[in-house]
Amino acid sequence: MSLNLSADEVLSTTRAVRKRLDLTRPVPRHLIEECVDLATQAPTGRNRQRWHFLVVTDTAQRAAVADIYRRAVHLAEGTPLTSRDLYRMNAHGSWPRIAAGLDHLYEHIHRVPAIVIPAVEGRTDRATVGEQAGTWGSILPAVWSFMLAARARGLGTVWTTAQAPLERELARLLGVPYDRVMLAAFIPLAFTVGTDFRPAQRIPRDQSLHWDTW
């Protein structure tokens, strides 16, 4: 399935999808494989192809993963936000809508037909900034390419880091060697209810674009 979107349309309409994930329709394996094939064409630091994609579709395994997700969400609650964070979150009055989406995903995470957990070889727990940049600079482009490829195929995704507080437990469940491999994100994947996503409102360009100096 292809939506025949232009590159600019894909880039400007790949939204964080929570409430509009179709929980009733399985995602064919070949579509996920196509997205992974495109993801692994992303640029990677020093050509170190260290990324991995764990896809969970088995009903019992999804239930176990969903349980960890929910407990991890509770552990992450209360993370302090700066005034700048709060300003940008509420810049267009969108936070109540996003919060409703978060609640919806929390309630229905076990019903999402596929959970994609990107991972990268190497841990950054106590790494230098340079080491962190190299590791995240390898996995992030690949995951974003995966999400763009999904959008082009009528699939919705949302990047979450819900796994972080219980990453070791999730790694154990999935058979991941925690000491050598880092679970980078937790991404629900499903067909979307409708495909009419639009560019989002963002802060004005002059608040994020800098020329020559800050």
Side-chain angles (χ1 to χ4, degrees):
M1 175 181 179
S2 173
L3 300 183
N4 295 316
L5 302 173
S6 70
D8 283 3
E9 288 172 322
V10 171
L11 288 166
S12 62
T13 63
T14 300
R15 304 265 65 85
V17 185
R18 301 179 183 91
K19 295 183 77 171
R20 289 179 61 180
L21 296 172
D22 189 337
L23 305 176
T24 66
R25 187 178 174 189
V27 179
R29 179 170 178 150
H30 77 272
L31 287 185
I32 301 175
E33 291 174 340
E34 288 176 9
C35 293
V36 171
D37 288 345
L38 289 168
T40 56
Q41 288 297 315
T44 176
R46 300 181 185 175
N47 200 33
R48 293 180 292 182
Q49 300 169 42
R50 301 184 295 173
W51 8 244
H52 301 267
F53 291 83
L54 292 87
V55 182
V56 181
T57 57
D58 175 78
T59 302
Q61 188 78 324
R62 277 190 291 129
V65 167
D67 174 67
I68 293 175
Y69 170 90
R70 291 193 179 103
R71 288 187 285 114
V73 166
H74 283 299
L75 290 173
E77 287 178 348
T79 302
L81 297 171
T82 68
S83 59
R84 190 68 169 167
D85 291 332
L86 293 170
Y87 164 71
R88 291 189 169 181
M89 288 165 63
N90 292 281
H92 302 290
S94 59
W95 179 245
R97 176 176 51 81
I98 294 171
L102 291 169
D103 289 343
H104 177 84
L105 187 62
Y106 177 91
E107 292 295 329
H108 297 281
I109 189 63
H110 63 289
R111 297 180 57 202
V112 175
I115 303 294
V116 179
I117 301 170
V120 61
E121 295 174 23
R123 300 202 59 82
T124 62
D125 304 71
R126 287 174 287 278
T128 65
V129 171
E131 291 170 323
Q132 292 185 49
T135 300
W136 288 101
S138 291
I139 188 64
L140 279 165
V143 178
W144 182 229
S145 289
F146 178 92
M147 296 169 78
L148 294 172
R151 163 64 176 148
R153 288 159 175 75
L155 300 168
T157 58
V158 54
W159 174 288
T160 86
T161 53
Q163 83 292 342
L166 295 176
E167 182 197 356
R168 187 185 293 271
E169 182 179 345
L170 182 58
R172 185 165 55 249
L173 173 69
L174 299 173
V176 176
Y178 174 86
D179 293 338
R180 294 186 289 108
V181 175
M182 183 167 58
L183 304 183
F186 187 104
I187 300 177
L189 174 72
F191 282 103
T192 58
V193 178
T195 59
D196 55 332
F197 293 92
R198 297 172 293 177
Q201 287 186 303
R202 296 301 190 208
I203 61 171
R205 182 196 302 141
D206 60 11
Q207 293 186 24
S208 59
L209 178 62
H210 308 269
W211 290 102
D212 297 326
T213 64
W214 186 268

